[in-house]
Amino acid sequence: MRSKMSLMLSVAMILLGGTAMAQDQVPKLELFGGFSYIRTAGHSNINGWNAQAAVNVNKWIGFAADFAGHYQTESMDATRSSASLTSFMFGPQLSDRAGRVTGFAHALFGGAHAGEGLLIGHGPLASSATNFSMAFGGGVDANVNDSIAVRLFQADYLMVRANNPVSNQSEARNNFRLSVGVVFKIK
């Protein structure tokens, strides 16, 4: 009887130990998608979407690929113009996984395609162009379960290089980006 009880207890400990280890498992891939807002250097508001895929090397370090599209419509007198800003950036991401909350910070570098007429600084852009962009920031994810989290916020300083229509020189346009949405975690 005693050996039977010891065997059952051992099996239970092994099974429960496996579930405890599964909770500490870091997802290999995290996919984020959601709403995004940019406050531009020219004090314009642009709404759009943000998507990100992060491949985690371990509990703290990963590599993120960030894609976003923002769309602007301005009414001037009787005319209506529209333009877009599409960005693609890549870089390292550091995470701090503490229970049900994950905080992260990233440094992203890549490009942004700004459409003609986009207001992101000193007047509308004179032509469409793809230029260097970078984003520094981070955010907080709240875990719903092992597979889904809610991105409470992602705040980024977003710099986009663009030509000044007056001097025709490339200059940095400093913007603020805020995103919220859902994260799918793949183990």
Side-chain angles (χ1 to χ4, degrees):
M1 178 75 168
R2 190 171 192 128
S3 64
K4 188 175 182 183
M5 185 66 119
S6 295
L7 179 63
M8 288 177 59
L9 186 58
S10 297
V11 170
M13 287 178 66
I14 290 170
L15 292 175
L16 290 175
T19 59
M21 286 177 62
Q23 290 175 355
D24 285 343
Q25 245 184 357
V26 176
K28 297 286 183 209
L29 178 66
E30 293 175 296
L31 301 173
F32 162 73
F35 171 79
S36 185
Y37 160 84
I38 291 180
R39 177 69 174 175
T40 70
H43 306 294
S44 296
N45 301 315
I46 307 174
N47 297 316
W49 56 269
N50 186 207
Q52 187 180 78
V55 177
N56 296 310
V57 177
N58 59 34
K59 187 176 179 177
W60 304 279
I61 299 172
F63 183 79
D66 187 277
F67 304 94
H70 295 84
Y71 309 95
Q72 182 181 63
T73 303
E74 291 290 324
S75 296
M76 296 179 186
D77 301 326
T79 63
R80 186 177 196 125
S81 66
S82 62
S84 64
L85 177 67
T86 307
S87 62
F88 49 94
M89 297 177 286
F90 311 89
Q93 180 165 294
L94 302 175
S95 300
D96 183 17
R97 301 174 193 283
R100 299 187 59 78
V101 176
T102 301
F104 65 91
H106 53 224
L108 306 170
F109 305 91
H113 181 80
E116 182 178 344
L118 186 70
L119 297 171
I120 59 168
H122 309 293
L125 298 180
S127 63
S128 295
T130 301
N131 293 304
F132 175 75
S133 68
M134 64 182 181
F136 300 108
V140 174
D141 296 341
N143 297 323
V144 175
N145 57 37
D146 286 345
S147 302
I148 298 174
V150 173
R151 181 147 299 168
L152 300 176
F153 72 90
Q154 175 181 324
D156 295 305
Y157 157 75
L158 174 66
M159 189 280 292
V160 177
R161 296 222 43 102
N163 282 338
N164 183 326
V166 176
S167 66
N168 202 26
Q169 300 249 334
S170 180
E171 62 183 34
R173 308 286 175 101
N174 303 308
N175 309 288
F176 171 76
R177 179 175 75 171
L178 183 66
S179 303
V180 296
V182 178
V183 180
F184 298 97
K185 299 181 283 183
I186 301 168
K187 302 262 180 180

